[in-house]
DNA sequence: AAAGGACACCTTTTT
DNA sequence: GGTGTCCTTT
């Protein structure tokens, strides 16, 4: 027997060496399911299964990559790299590149991300003259997404009286027509959205039996990880592919199903045994990750759910410290508590930053944590949120690259046809769209025929359009020979993007430039990485595909020693020595939007279960009595989930005297920074803005900037513009309407961004924008 | 057509 | 608190 198998316990070994037939592994949190999957694949290969015929579908690219590396260590690099392993989306995108032509898609189809899709829907709704308040793009998008995930095509939609009535009842009778227009436009643009990658795969396998047979024959052994989070579309793909050989192994944990909002159907795992004959069922119930207290706490919570499979997770690990529960006054305090605890624990136990994770329900909660960590100089990294590739400047560059590859890509074209500004305005673009829709052509085709096509655009503008076409075509020529990196660099420099990002010189502009630089480095790394692989070309197409399906978790650079901040969703599958689950408050976690039905609430509870079970040694649960939400201070109650934990596993550690903060370690020596921040920003800014509106006729036409200055500085007759010109000096004593008397400590920035750091007698040290601050120099 | 301010909406979670 | 979109001004 292969020696790696000796590393498995009996429960793990059985499913690992079961080669043929359908099987389901119900794997509790931390029970070693990745290990089983990895070894099972290695075992299959040792038993003579061709590595080309194994398909392993994972939930993240990262999981796939790590598993592949581990398998490579056992069976060797050259064999491991033949495995088909990746997310549903990436594997089937790859197949659609080859087979998409059956459905009329070019092999270089674009993958639209959520932003692209929603923008397209926005234009469609506008073009159809519909009420945008009734047809909100986000809602329309998620509606269409759920149709697609349920395999309801446009045709099926119009055959489904019930659905149409539901939409009509929701005062959206045009949903079907929007859906149709959206699908048509994507098709015309040679684009697929995320859901299409699954839906079109289903279409391919259903309509083309020879294609189905080809892949059934190819993928003789199929493994699916995180099966509890598959949606209907994914479920059908797996069933179709596994139908011939029935060598299907699914792994999952119903207690960790947390993606219902995007169509995941927990019944796929609950009913797996009905879908195939002679299904072998295995259970992994021993947790190797966490202490007894953590496992006990997690179990006691999940017991409150009605819908679940029989399973008892237990551990032989040490008892460990109890789960700690901490209450704060505000979210700011919560952040400071977390930061100081990390700081102390790190010192006391000689731990690394990477031994800590802060998990939250919503991305917006990261800010309070960031502020606190920064003040303590604790390095951290935020995962998720606005991903790198979603940033404006990055999407701008990528849009150029996308257009080079697929000029039909309407969203990319609309984004950059006038960016940087080339005098092609909205009116022109609208006319192009109308012409394109009328003739059933793409905008690019219209542009190419601009001389002959009937369109109401004047000659000057036509010249600009021709220049744009020439520019893109020159890039296309370059793409024939250059690497993705050479091309991307050339595009950034020659398109005027670089100049655009460079021109303002603001801190934001500098950040933009840095991001673009990082993107270019990313392209370079990618090209070099791909060139080492024999079967990859490292060309633009491969890079863009990689980018379209990359998640933030995949962009891990090195193994920096940082505290990890992320949503609980993103944390699934990960583990950390110490875990802080923050913001455990009613309406936040569980979310106010998920408490209407039992099933929604149960999903929130599973999410909490996932959060708790990320911890190996110590879990902290924190909540605040009030929290800033949408810029407002809102009272909150502790989450019901805390109540649901059996008392024996938790310990309340809220100090009696909550406000004892060591002044040396806290930046807000003069009191709580948070309320002041709001009081300072809110009233002053609007006052100034309102005044400006009334002001203009009083003054002779001068530059608006002068108006601002005089206005902003208020009533005193001293030309307060002085403060801008540097006449406010360090050491000056000033008076402020709200903060009173203070001394200027420091002046930084210039122009309208000039800021002064002022130490007020009562209010403490504040940094004020001179443009807004009403200051009188009194000494 | 470009630029800048006002305003609305936002927040669940993501491939 | 931040972003995206609308509206106004030049």
């Amino acid at each position: 027997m292969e020696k790696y198998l000796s590393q498995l316990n009996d429960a793990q070994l059985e499913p690992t060496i079961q080669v043929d037939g359908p099987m389901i592994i119900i794997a509790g949190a931390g029970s070693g399911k990745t290990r089983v999957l990895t070894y099972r694949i290695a075992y299959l290969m040792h038993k003579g299964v061709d590595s080309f015929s194994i398909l392993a579908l994972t939930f993240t690219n990262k999981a796939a990559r790590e598993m592949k590396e581990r398998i490579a260590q056992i069976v060797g690099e050259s064999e491991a790299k033949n495995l088909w392993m990746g997310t549903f989306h990436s594997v089937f995108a790859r197949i659609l590149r080859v087979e998409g032509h059956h459905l009329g898609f070019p092999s270089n189809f674009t993958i639209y991300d959520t932003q692209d899709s929603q923008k397209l829907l926005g234009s469609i709704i506008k073009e159809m003259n519909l009420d945008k308040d009734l047809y909100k793009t986000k809602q329309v998008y998620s509606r269409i997404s759920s149709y697609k995930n349920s395999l309801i095509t446009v045709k099926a939609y119009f055959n489904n009286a019930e659905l149409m009535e539901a939409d009509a009842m929701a005062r959206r009778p045009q949903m079907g027509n929007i859906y149709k227009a959206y699908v048509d436009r994507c098709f015309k643009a040679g684009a697929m959205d995320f859901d299409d990658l699954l839906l079109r795969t289903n279409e391919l396998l259903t309509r083309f039996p020879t294609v189905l047979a080809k892949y059934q024959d190819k993928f003789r052994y199929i493994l699916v990880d995180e099966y509890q989070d598959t949606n209907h579309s994914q479920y059908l793909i797996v069933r179709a592919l596994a139908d011939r050989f029935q060598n299907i192994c699914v792994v999952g944990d119903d207690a960790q199903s947390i993606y219902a909002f995007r169509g995941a159907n927990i019944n796929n795992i609950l009913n797996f045994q009905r879908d195939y004959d002679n299904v072998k069922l295995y259970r992994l119930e021993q947790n190797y990750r966490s202490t007894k207290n953590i496992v006990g706490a997690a179990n006691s919570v999940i017991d409150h759910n009605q819908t679940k499979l029989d399973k008892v997770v237990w551990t032989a690990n040490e008892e460990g410290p109890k789960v700690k529960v901490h209450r704060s006054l505000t979210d700011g305090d919560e952040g400071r508590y977390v930061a100081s605890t990390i700081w102390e624990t790190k010192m006391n136990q000689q731990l690394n930053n990477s031994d800590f994770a802060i998990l939250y329900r919503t991305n917006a909660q990261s800010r309070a944590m960031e502020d606190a960590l920064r003040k303590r100089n604790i390095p951290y990294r935020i995962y998720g949120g606005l991903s790198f590739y979603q940033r404006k400047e990055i999407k701008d560059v990528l849009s150029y690259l996308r257009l080079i590859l697929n000029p039909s890509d309407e969203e990319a074209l609309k984004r950059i046809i006038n960016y940087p500004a080339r005098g092609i305005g909205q009116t022109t673009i609208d006319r192009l769209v109308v012409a394109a829709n009328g003739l059933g052509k793409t905008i690019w085709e219209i542009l190419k025929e601009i001389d002959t096509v009937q369109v109401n655009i004047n000659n000057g503008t036509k010249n600009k359009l021709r220049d744009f076409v020439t520019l893109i075509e020159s890039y296309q020529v370059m793409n024939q020979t250059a690497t993705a990196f050479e091309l991307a660099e050339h595009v950034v420099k020659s398109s005027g993007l670089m100049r655009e990002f460079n021109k303002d010189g603001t801190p934001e502009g500098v950040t933009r430039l840095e991001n673009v630089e990082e993107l270019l480095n990313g392209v370079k790394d990618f090209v070099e990485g791909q060139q080492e692989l024999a079967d990859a070309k490292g060309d633009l197409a491969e890079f863009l595909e990689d980018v379209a399906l990359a998640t933030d978790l995949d962009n891990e650079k090195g193994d920096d020693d940082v505290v990890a901040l992320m949503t609980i969703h993103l944390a699934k599958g990960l583990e950390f020595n110490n875990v802080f689950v923050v913001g455990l408050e009613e309406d936040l976690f569980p979310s106010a939007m998920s408490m209407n039905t039992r099933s929604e609430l149960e999903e929130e509870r599973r999410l909490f279960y996932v959060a708790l079970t990320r911890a190996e040694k110590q879990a902290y649960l924190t909540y605040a009595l009030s929290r800033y939400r949408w810029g407002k201070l809102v009272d909150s109650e502790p989450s019901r989930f805390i109540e649901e934990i059996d008392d024996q596993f938790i310990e309340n550690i809220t100090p009696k005297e909550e406000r004892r903060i060591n002044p040396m370690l806290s930046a807000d020596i003069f009191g709580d920074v948070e309320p002041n921040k709001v009081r300072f920003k809110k009233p002053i800014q609007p006052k100034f803005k309102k005044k400006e509106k009334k002001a203009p006729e009083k003054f002779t036409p001068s530059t608006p900037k002068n108006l601002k200055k005089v206005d902003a500085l208020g009533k005193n007759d001293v030309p307060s513009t002085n403060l801008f010109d540097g006449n406010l000096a360090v050491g000056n004593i000033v008076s402020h309407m709200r903060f009173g008397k203070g001394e200027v400590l420091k002046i930084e920035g210039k122009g309208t961004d000039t800021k002064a750091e002022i130490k007020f007698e009562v209010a403490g040290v504040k940094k004020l924008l001179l443009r807004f601050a009403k200051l009188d120099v009194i000494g």
Side-chain angles (χ1 to χ4, degrees):
Chain A
M1 187 181 289
E2 287 76 8
K3 75 166 181 283
Y4 55 89
L5 294 179
S6 65
Q7 293 175 29
L8 300 170
N9 69 21
D10 288 348
Q12 292 169 334
L13 184 64
E14 281 182 54
T16 303
I17 59 175
Q18 147 110 34
V19 172
D20 292 314
M23 58 192 279
I24 178 169
I25 306 173
I26 302 296
S31 62
K33 77 178 162 79
T34 307
R35 171 173 292 201
V36 169
L37 269 177
T38 313
Y39 288 179
R40 184 163 189 276
I41 292 169
Y43 186 79
L44 288 176
M45 291 160 78
H46 280 149
K47 286 286 157 185
V49 174
D50 185 355
S51 52
F52 282 100
S53 65
I54 298 174
L55 170 66
L57 297 165
T58 60
F59 200 69
T60 61
N61 294 309
K62 189 181 173 217
R65 205 169 43 235
E66 287 176 356
M67 218 184 284
K68 222 170 187 173
E69 278 164 20
R70 285 168 72 168
I71 294 170
Q73 285 166 16
I74 302 172
V75 302
E77 185 89 38
S78 59
E79 277 300 301
K81 80 175 199 193
N82 300 330
L83 292 163
W84 280 69
M85 195 177 269
T87 63
F88 274 89
H89 289 87
S90 64
V91 166
F92 295 111
R94 193 171 152 196
I95 288 175
L96 284 167
R97 297 265 174 228
V98 180
E99 310 289 350
H101 64 91
H102 291 293
L103 306 170
F105 278 89
S107 69
N108 61 0
F109 64 83
T110 302
I111 298 173
Y112 275 178
D113 68 13
T114 311
Q115 253 181 61
D116 297 318
S117 299
Q118 289 184 357
K119 280 214 163 145
L120 174 53
L121 282 168
S123 344
I124 289 170
I125 290 164
K126 201 170 168 189
E127 287 162 31
M128 287 172 71
N129 279 319
L130 298 172
D131 182 349
K132 68 176 162 35
D133 294 323
L134 224 46
Y135 294 91
K136 297 196 167 157
T137 49
K138 269 193 183 160
Q139 282 175 18
V140 173
Y141 174 73
S142 76
R143 193 90 183 126
I144 290 178
S145 173
S146 74
Y147 300 151
K148 288 187 175 178
N149 286 328
S150 310
L151 248 63
I152 301 166
T153 58
V154 172
K155 200 173 152 201
Y157 177 88
F158 282 115
N159 282 329
N160 188 327
E162 215 175 300
L163 265 183
M164 287 167 66
E165 203 184 308
D167 279 328
M169 289 295 279
R171 305 210 301 159
R172 285 194 285 252
Q174 292 297 313
M175 263 312 295
N177 291 327
I178 298 175
Y179 186 19
K180 179 171 194 313
Y182 174 72
V183 170
D184 289 347
R185 287 279 270 279
C186 285
F187 183 77
K188 210 173 77 176
M192 295 199 201
D193 65 17
F194 289 134
D195 303 315
D196 282 333
L197 296 176
L198 307 176
L199 178 66
R200 295 289 187 181
T201 299
N202 268 305
E203 188 187 348
L204 184 73
L205 299 180
T206 311
R207 280 181 47 200
F208 301 91
T210 51
V211 177
L212 173 63
K214 173 176 164 190
Y215 287 98
Q216 280 180 336
D217 197 47
K218 177 170 176 53
F219 298 131
R220 292 179 182 227
Y221 290 85
I222 300 174
L223 301 93
V224 186
D225 193 11
E226 309 278 16
Y227 192 66
Q228 76 280 356
D229 283 323
T230 50
N231 62 31
H232 189 61
S233 199
Q234 293 167 320
Y235 164 83
L236 289 176
I237 293 172
V238 171
R239 275 204 68 172
L241 290 177
D243 193 50
R244 177 154 172 212
F245 288 100
Q246 307 262 318
N247 293 323
I248 168 81
C249 167
V250 304
V251 187
D253 179 3
D254 58 301
Q256 294 186 61
S257 168
I258 56 174
Y259 280 100
F261 70 92
R262 69 175 213 219
N265 186 354
I266 194 171
N267 291 318
N268 291 346
I269 193 166
L270 298 178
N271 298 337
F272 182 80
Q273 291 178 84
R274 291 185 212 159
D275 291 332
Y276 299 86
D277 293 330
N278 302 317
V279 172
K280 286 272 200 331
L281 169 73
Y282 301 94
R283 285 197 172 82
L284 303 180
E285 298 182 315
Q286 180 176 1
N287 175 307
Y288 290 92
R289 178 186 297 151
S290 312
T291 63
K292 284 199 173 70
N293 272 316
I294 292 166
V295 170
N299 281 343
S300 67
V301 167
I302 206 69
D303 265 351
H304 289 78
N305 273 8
Q306 286 178 1
T307 312
K308 58 183 183 219
L309 295 168
D310 276 343
K311 166 167 50 68
V312 184
V313 177
W314 60 279
T315 186
N317 290 347
E318 57 172 7
E319 191 161 327
K322 296 195 172 181
V323 172
K324 296 196 165 112
V325 178
H326 184 271
R327 179 183 72 222
S328 308
L329 289 180
T330 67
D331 49 350
D333 292 335
E334 184 184 40
R336 283 186 281 275
Y337 165 72
V338 170
S340 62
T341 307
I342 290 177
W343 178 258
E344 283 160 22
T345 313
K346 224 171 69 172
M347 288 303 159
N348 292 341
Q349 301 181 21
Q350 298 293 305
L351 294 171
N352 295 315
N353 294 312
S354 55
D355 288 322
F356 298 86
I358 304 174
L359 309 181
Y360 34 77
R361 179 66 179 83
T362 66
N363 282 305
Q365 287 166 259
S366 68
R367 183 151 300 108
M369 296 296 140
E370 284 181 80
D371 289 347
L373 291 169
R374 220 177 301 123
K375 276 179 190 161
R376 291 261 177 181
N377 285 322
I378 299 171
Y380 63 89
R381 160 139 196 241
I382 297 184
Y383 295 83
L386 224 205
S387 106
F388 181 72
Y389 295 113
Q390 314 267 43
R391 285 174 209 199
K392 185 195 168 300
E393 61 275 19
I394 301 304
K395 282 216 74 165
D396 291 334
V397 177
L398 291 177
S399 292
Y400 274 89
L401 302 180
R402 269 165 55 174
L403 197 63
I404 294 168
L405 219 55
N406 174 16
S408 304
D409 184 339
E410 185 179 322
E411 294 311 301
L413 184 134
K414 284 199 286 197
R415 195 179 172 104
I416 57 161
I417 190 167
N418 196 34
Y419 189 82
R422 348 181 132 77
I424 302 169
Q426 196 55 52
T427 320
T428 306
I429 295 170
D430 288 346
R431 284 175 186 157
L432 288 171
V433 170
V434 168
N437 288 346
L439 296 168
K441 294 187 171 175
T442 64
I443 299 178
W444 179 255
E445 285 168 327
I446 300 292
L447 287 179
K448 297 258 285 179
E449 304 163 7
I450 198 73
D451 294 321
T452 53
V453 84
Q454 275 291 332
V455 57
N456 182 20
I457 291 174
N458 69 39
N459 280 331
T461 309
K462 279 188 181 174
N463 277 333
K464 292 170 185 164
L465 294 174
R466 270 187 287 266
D467 288 348
F468 177 71
V469 170
T470 311
L471 181 74
I472 299 299
E473 282 178 337
S474 76
Y475 295 151
Q476 287 172 334
V477 171
M478 183 172 176
N479 186 36
Q480 308 284 317
T481 50
T483 68
F485 172 69
E486 290 160 350
L487 183 60
E489 194 181 34
H490 176 69
V491 167
V492 168
K493 283 181 179 159
S494 64
S495 64
L497 279 178
M498 187 69 111
R499 212 178 323 124
E500 189 71 20
F501 298 140
N502 239 330
K503 83 176 176 201
D504 51 4
T506 57
E508 293 78 29
V510 173
T511 312
R512 289 223 173 92
L513 264 184
E514 285 169 359
N515 284 337
V516 171
E517 226 161 79
E518 193 177 330
L519 175 70
L520 289 178
N521 285 335
V523 183
K524 197 173 186 178
D525 285 349
F526 178 84
V527 169
E528 283 165 3
Q530 293 296 99
Q531 280 169 344
E532 286 167 20
L533 299 173
D535 56 344
K537 299 184 285 282
D539 65 9
L540 188 58
E542 282 172 349
F543 175 74
L544 286 182
E545 168 134 354
D546 207 57
V547 160
L549 298 172
T551 63
D552 204 36
L553 224 45
D554 299 321
N555 283 328
E556 194 139 18
K557 4 178 192 167
D559 29 15
D560 296 341
D561 181 31
V562 294
V563 174
L565 274 68
M566 65 185 91
T567 62
I568 300 160
H569 282 89
L570 218 54
K572 191 171 69 158
L574 307 178
E575 58 189 22
F576 301 90
N577 198 302
N578 286 258
V579 169
F580 293 83
V581 187
V582 302
L584 274 161
E585 293 142 36
E586 288 291 296
D587 289 354
L588 181 60
F589 193 15
S591 159
M593 296 168 116
S594 310
M595 313 203 304
N596 301 320
T597 64
R598 171 172 295 278
S599 67
E600 280 177 345
L601 186 61
E602 294 204 343
E603 174 146 320
E604 293 285 305
R605 192 175 281 116
R606 290 193 293 269
L607 192 57
F608 181 58
Y609 177 83
V610 168
L612 255 181
T613 53
R614 296 311 95 201
E616 295 167 342
K617 294 279 185 276
Q618 175 76 69
Y620 297 86
L621 310 176
T622 70
Y623 64 97
L625 295 173
S626 55
R627 161 179 311 275
Y628 281 94
R629 290 179 91 173
W630 307 278
K632 276 202 172 115
L633 195 63
V634 180
D635 286 340
S636 38
E637 284 172 47
S639 169
R640 68 190 72 188
F641 296 148
I642 297 178
E643 281 286 303
E644 290 174 0
I645 304 175
D646 196 320
D647 280 346
Q648 60 174 306
F649 303 116
I650 58 176
E651 175 191 2
N652 194 319
I653 55 157
T654 309
K656 291 223 171 60
E657 235 183 297
E658 285 162 341
R659 300 297 297 145
R660 201 170 49 202
I661 295 170
N662 182 347
M664 296 310 291
L665 295 174
S666 171
D668 50 331
I669 317 172
F670 298 99
D672 203 328
V673 157
E674 311 297 326
N676 280 342
K677 208 159 81 188
V678 172
R679 249 183 275 135
F680 159 59
K681 271 208 160 171
K682 282 278 144 84
I684 291 173
Q685 212 160 336
K687 247 184 225 162
F688 146 61
K689 280 173 184 165
K690 262 186 223 149
K691 264 189 150 183
E692 197 202 6
K693 264 203 160 171
K694 291 185 222 145
E697 60 267 33
K698 276 194 184 174
F699 296 86
T700 48
S702 59
T703 67
K705 274 197 173 146
N706 277 334
L707 285 185
K708 271 187 205 171
K709 288 173 194 169
V710 175
D711 229 31
L713 293 158
K715 51 196 182 298
N716 63 348
D717 289 323
V718 182
S720 332
T721 48
N722 281 353
L723 297 192
F724 273 110
D725 305 325
N727 283 8
L728 185 71
V730 173
N732 278 161
I733 304 296
V734 295
S735 148
H736 182 271
M737 214 176 72
R738 187 174 301 277
F739 299 129
K741 217 164 111 182
E743 182 186 349
V744 178
L745 297 181
K746 206 162 116 190
I747 294 181
E748 55 188 54
K750 53 183 167 184
T752 53
D753 280 321
T754 315
K755 291 173 220 152
E757 204 173 280
I758 300 167
K759 185 180 174 185
F760 291 101
E761 283 174 359
V762 182
V765 179
K766 305 280 172 201
K767 215 175 252 184
L768 304 181
L769 265 176
L770 293 185
R771 164 162 61 113
F772 292 130
K774 292 187 170 181
L775 289 176
D776 293 333
V777 181
I778 56 178

